[in-house]
Amino acid sequence: MKKRRTLYGLLACISILFILYALVANFIIDPGAKAFLSHKISLKRELNLPVWINVMHIHVAFACIAMAAGLLNFSIRIFEKNRKFHRINGYVYLVSVLLVVITSGYMAPYATGGKISSMGFNVLNIIWLLITIMALAQIKKKRIIRHRNWMIRSYAFCFTNMSIHLITSLFYQGFGLTYATSYTIGVYCSIVLLLVIPNIIIRNIDRSREAVVTP
């Protein structure tokens, strides 16, 4: 139990800091996304800038809501004390993920790195949506543990942006590749990491639970 509380505390710190960073960076420091757009060169589709920026703001806002809602629903204390809030907040998370996926689908054709990156984002969006629907299906069948596991997998995708930019920075600044190439690598490496890491976490949680149950 102590280990789970420590992990939740770490998750909360990372999530809250990233939410604050995303809101400040996208709505205060650079609301026009000039820094990010500077890397979008040789686009094959004409970018309707006002529409793209509005969609991007909606995307960021609901990504932050999804991250916050998911974090709250992983709280054992909230779950035990207010099941109704947990259930309603779960639907808030579901709707937020859906809106993030839809807005990402609009922005995908304009992704840095061109068509290859665009395809990666579409794959990522489909995987995230399917995993989230699977989490919903499990709780409808009253399979709480399976629901929790699928939610862990789904919540990992809330960190897509963070993962992509960390990997992009590694290849761009660390290995000297072009930004577009680094970004494309970041997209596909993130898909792998966001599928693998949650399963490692789930196995560790299951082992901890078995250790407590087994005398």
Side-chain angles (χ1 to χ4, degrees), residues 54-193:
N54 286 331
V55 172
M56 186 270 290
H57 284 162
I58 294 171
H59 178 81
V60 172
F62 279 98
C64 290
I65 292 172
M67 184 172 282
L71 178 65
L72 289 173
N73 266 16
F74 280 121
S75 170
I76 297 175
R77 182 178 298 178
I78 292 176
F79 176 74
E80 291 177 345
K81 290 187 176 182
N82 198 332
R83 297 288 181 90
K84 184 177 181 180
F85 173 81
H86 180 91
R87 184 172 63 256
I88 294 173
N89 192 48
Y91 283 108
V92 170
Y93 176 83
L94 178 63
V95 172
S96 298
V97 169
L98 180 61
L99 289 170
V100 171
V101 168
I102 291 172
T103 51
S104 179
Y106 169 83
M107 294 188 294
Y110 310 102
T112 302
K115 189 175 181 179
I116 298 177
S117 290
S118 176
M119 291 171 59
F121 273 112
N122 288 328
V123 169
L124 192 151
N125 290 332
I126 292 170
I127 292 173
W128 191 12
L129 188 58
L130 289 176
I131 288 175
T132 306
I133 291 173
M134 183 62 73
L136 177 64
Q138 294 302 318
I139 198 59
K140 289 294 184 182
K141 296 178 181 178
K142 309 298 182 182
R143 298 170 178 171
I144 296 176
I145 300 299
R146 291 185 182 181
H147 168 69
R148 181 210 66 189
N149 291 345
W150 282 106
M151 276 303 302
I152 291 173
R153 295 184 181 103
S154 174
Y155 192 68
F157 281 80
C158 287
F159 297 90
T160 297
N161 184 267
M162 179 190 296
S163 176
I164 290 174
H165 286 288
L166 285 174
I167 296 170
T168 299
S169 296
L170 173 64
F171 283 91
Y172 178 57
Q173 298 177 353
F175 298 114
L177 299 182
T178 64
Y179 188 87
T181 301
S182 300
Y183 193 84
T184 302
I185 293 172
V187 172
Y188 285 94
C189 284
S190 292
I191 294 174
V192 176
L193 288 176

Side-chain angles (χ1 to χ4, degrees), residues 149 152-153 156 193-203:
N149 291 345
I152 291 173
R153 295 184 181 103
L193 288 176
L194 296 175
L195 288 172
V196 172
I197 293 176
N199 286 308
I200 295 173
I201 294 172
I202 290 167
R203 281 199 295 270

Side-chain angles (χ1 to χ4, degrees), residues 206-215:
D206 290 341
R207 286 172 185 169
S208 298
R209 189 174 69 252
E210 288 172 2
V212 172
V213 174
T214 304

